[in-house]
Amino acid sequence: MEIHLVTDGLQFPEGPIAMADGSIILVEIEGQRLTRVTPDGQKTVVAETGGGPNGAAIGPDGKIYVTNNGGSFHWLKQNGLTIPGPTPPEHKGGYIQRVDIASGKVETVYDACDGEPLNGPNDLVFDKQGGFWFTDHGCGTPDGRKHGALLYAKPDGSHISRPRGHFVSPNGVGLSPDETVVYMADTQLGRLWAFDIERPGVLKAQEGFGPGRVICNLQGYQLLDSLAVEASGKVCVATIINGGITAFDPNGSTEHFPFPDLITTNICFGGPDMHDAWITCSSTGKLFKCRWPRPGLKLNFNA
């Protein structure tokens, strides 16, 4: 696959959104901001979010919703790479933010669910009804990890729920083309989960002892990050250590597309035929573009 460097010098990029004008809006987690990258590689700040903006998506109101982990990483610099390290002791939790693209105004929509603070919101996806599924990655503590969860919320601040909890490290989240399944990647387990949807924001009762269906566990030491879904239903998950994108078929088979960064963190699709793909390579601060072999799934509220 031929890949092209769009820009570099980003401070741990993630959460790319393909915009109608050909630009990409993404988060810089270490930089604590939302940034627009034009096709010629120029960068402009859309908004200063603070904390640790981790995922981003356009909602039904045209604003960008950000899953902000609240600054849950201590940043390590090793051999010219930026590596997310332990949760700093001053971390108090994360939140969901709404950003007006034109003005850069940032609002906090949620910082808790059922009275419990959000630990580290990570990624999100909007359904056709205008609600969004999002992951809470959890966070580290001196005594171990706080568990993560899969949650659902409405963008107007009127509803938030936790359909599934007690996961090790939830990360990427996406919907099947017919929106009957929500997929979730667990970072530390190298596992892609699938949950059957009963109705918007509500999951079907799971048979057996597991919290969902396991699509695949990657072999060896491979970690999973954020994801995007193809029009065919394949789930493309950014893969750490074995740097690149792993495409999971719902039947459990996989194929791997390597990228030049062991911490490849996300992918988004766009362009007239949805074959354009942008990939964030975060430890080196780079954004790449390529032609994907299959079209991506068009998101509900992207222009």
Side-chain angles (χ1 to χ4, degrees):
M1 180 184 294
E2 185 176 355
I3 65 174
H4 304 277
L5 178 65
V6 180
T7 197
D8 56 11
L10 297 164
Q11 290 187 281
F12 213 85
E14 243 271 33
I17 304 170
M19 305 299 289
D21 63 359
S23 69
I24 295 295
I25 293 181
L26 49 74
V27 302
E28 295 184 70
I29 304 180
E30 185 188 19
Q32 302 183 329
R33 57 182 170 256
L34 203 60
T35 300
R36 185 188 295 271
V37 181
T38 54
D40 63 358
Q42 297 300 306
K43 302 184 287 283
T44 57
V45 175
V46 175
E48 303 282 356
T49 63
N54 210 121
I58 295 177
D61 55 3
K63 296 183 179 180
I64 292 180
Y65 287 75
V66 175
T67 41
N68 193 310
N69 64 40
S72 65
F73 298 130
H74 173 69
W75 298 100
L76 308 175
K77 306 294 180 176
Q78 298 179 0
N79 301 319
L81 305 179
T82 298
I83 311 293
T87 302
E90 63 271 18
H91 179 257
K92 301 299 183 185
Y95 29 88
I96 304 298
Q97 296 172 304
R98 178 170 51 231
V99 179
D100 183 272
I101 300 174
S103 68
K105 180 183 177 182
V106 181
E107 305 170 273
T108 296
V109 185
Y110 299 102
D111 60 9
C113 177
D114 297 330
E116 297 182 17
L118 300 175
N119 291 314
N122 188 284
D123 195 16
L124 74 164
V125 63
F126 279 90
D127 61 20
K128 291 181 173 67
Q129 289 73 29
F132 61 95
W133 294 92
F134 75 97
T135 52
D136 189 324
H137 188 65
C139 64
T141 74
D143 299 318
R145 280 193 63 81
K146 291 182 179 179
H147 284 114
L150 175 65
L151 300 95
Y152 186 85
K154 294 183 178 180
D156 62 2
S158 65
H159 170 83
I160 182 171
S161 60
R162 187 183 292 105
R164 290 283 194 280
H166 299 285
F167 292 102
V168 177
S169 46
N171 200 310
V173 64
L175 289 164
S176 62
D178 62 5
E179 300 198 356
T180 62
V181 177
V182 57
Y183 294 102
M184 186 190 81
D186 192 303
T187 300
Q188 298 295 333
L189 299 182
R191 176 180 296 167
L192 182 65
W193 290 99
F195 307 93
D196 297 313
I197 298 172
E198 182 173 291
R199 61 182 186 275
V202 178
L203 300 179
K204 292 182 179 179
Q206 177 61 27
E207 297 180 3
F209 295 102
R213 294 184 287 113
V214 175
I215 298 298
C216 182
N217 293 307
L218 292 185
Q219 294 183 345
Y221 187 58
Q222 301 183 65
L223 309 179
L224 293 180
D225 210 294
S226 299
L227 63 84
V229 178
E230 296 182 8
S232 68
K234 289 179 181 285
V235 185
C236 298
V237 190
T239 309
I240 297 173
I241 306 301
N242 185 16
I245 304 295
T246 303
F248 294 79
D249 191 278
N251 68 15
S253 63
T254 66
E255 57 185 321
H256 186 75
F257 299 87
F259 280 82
D261 194 321
L262 82 165
I263 305 183
T264 300
T265 58
N266 210 337
I267 180 174
C268 73
F269 295 107
D273 60 2
M274 296 300 289
H275 275 271
D276 290 334
W278 290 263
I279 294 88
T280 50
C281 287
S282 299
S283 73
T284 55
K286 296 176 179 179
L287 175 68
F288 287 95
K289 181 182 180 181
C290 67
R291 292 287 289 171
W292 202 252
R294 300 172 295 269
L297 179 66
K298 186 173 177 60
L299 298 175
N300 287 314
F301 301 107
N302 280 25

